[in-house]
């Protein structure tokens, strides 16, 4: 990222007169060495770009594509299973499943004890098959500056980082439960 533009002196003076912080804080996070910021930035770029492309081609966003893709791998998954698999919250999954049901890209079958199993329809499978090469091309472009060995290392490291998600969630629950 390029340098940030500095506000004109008169704007800085006005900000200072209003008691606003005009000098860089002494202890800050450097985006380029803070892994969560880098992952978040990359995630946003991937989500926004994917949503734009998939919406233009099929009227679905990235969340719907992720559900379609997951059901291609795990036909009959429940919404709860998709939430766990994809790391999305219930409200996002519910909204996306509702849209995909309305579009008839997926169908829902009731199972035992109130379970609801989701499956791709023939139309949903076509959406999947049409979006799949785009998803793979986007991955190829993202990784083109890395060697195959680096890609393998990156993926292994990301999987290891995902393994720490339960610890992260426990840490976050502790912070929230201690908050006033």
């Amino acid at each position: 990222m390029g340098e940030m533009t500095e506000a004109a002196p008169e704007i800085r003076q006005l900000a200072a007169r209003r008691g606003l912080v005009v000098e860089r804080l002494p202890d800050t996070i450097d985006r380029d060495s803070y892994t969560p910021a880098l992952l978040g930035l990359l995630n946003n770029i991937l989500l926004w770009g994917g949503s734009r492309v998939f919406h233009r081609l099929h009227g679905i966003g990235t969340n719907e594509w992720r559900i379609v893709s997951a059901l291609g791998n795990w036909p009959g998954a429940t919404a709860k299973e998709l939430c766990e698999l994809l790391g999305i919250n219930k409200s996002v999954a519910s909204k996306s499943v509702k849209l995909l049901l309305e579009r008839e890209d997926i169908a829902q079958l009731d199972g035992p004890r109130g379970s609801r199993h989701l499956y791709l329809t023939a139309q949903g499978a076509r959406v999947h098959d049409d979006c799949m090469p785009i998803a793979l091309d986007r991955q190829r472009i993202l990784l083109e500056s890395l060697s195959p060995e680096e890609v393998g290392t990156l993926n292994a490291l990301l999987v290891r980082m995902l393994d720490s998600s339960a610890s992260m969630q426990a840490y976050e629950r502790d912070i929230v439960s201690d908050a006033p």
Side-chain angles (χ1 to χ4, degrees):
M1 180 175 149
E3 291 296 314
M4 300 291 290
T5 57
E6 190 170 310
E10 59 272 12
I11 300 298
R12 287 176 54 87
Q13 290 170 358
L14 177 61
R17 284 195 303 270
R18 291 190 178 177
L20 303 175
V21 177
V22 295
E23 298 297 328
R24 185 181 184 126
L25 296 175
D27 189 24
T28 61
I29 290 175
D30 173 38
R31 183 202 76 174
D32 291 345
S33 62
Y34 184 64
T35 306
L38 292 170
L39 291 171
L41 179 60
L42 189 56
N43 183 57
N44 288 341
I45 290 167
L46 292 170
L47 286 174
W48 294 337
S51 282
R52 187 174 52 249
V53 170
F54 297 136
H55 190 269
R56 174 72 184 227
L57 295 175
H58 290 287
I60 63 172
T62 304
N63 290 322
E64 291 79 26
W65 159 244
R66 293 173 68 198
I67 289 173
V68 166
S69 179
L71 290 175
N73 283 314
W74 295 280
T78 64
K80 180 181 179 185
E81 291 168 337
L82 291 173
C83 288
E84 292 169 7
L85 177 72
L86 299 173
I88 57 178
N89 67 42
K90 288 183 203 177
S91 64
V92 169
S94 177
K95 181 180 174 185
S96 295
V97 165
K98 181 180 179 205
L99 175 70
L100 292 168
L101 286 167
E102 288 171 358
R103 291 172 36 93
E104 298 182 355
D105 289 330
I106 65 173
Q108 179 176 277
L109 297 177
D110 293 336
R113 295 178 299 284
S115 61
R116 294 188 177 135
H117 300 272
L118 302 169
Y119 293 88
L120 291 176
T121 63
Q123 176 177 299
R126 283 191 297 277
V127 168
H128 174 275
D129 292 349
D130 193 38
C131 290
M132 186 70 167
I134 296 164
L136 294 175
D137 279 346
R138 293 179 78 233
Q139 174 183 252
R140 179 188 51 74
I141 293 165
L142 178 68
L143 300 174
E144 67 189 1
S145 67
L146 303 178
S147 70
E149 295 79 21
E150 289 172 321
V151 171
T153 299
L154 173 63
N155 288 339
L157 291 171
L158 290 170
V159 168
R160 283 179 42 201
M161 290 171 70
L162 283 171
D163 290 342
S164 67
S165 64
S167 297
M168 179 70 75
Q169 290 167 349
Y171 170 75
E172 292 162 350
R173 276 193 305 274
D174 288 347
I175 290 174
V176 171
S177 68
D178 291 343

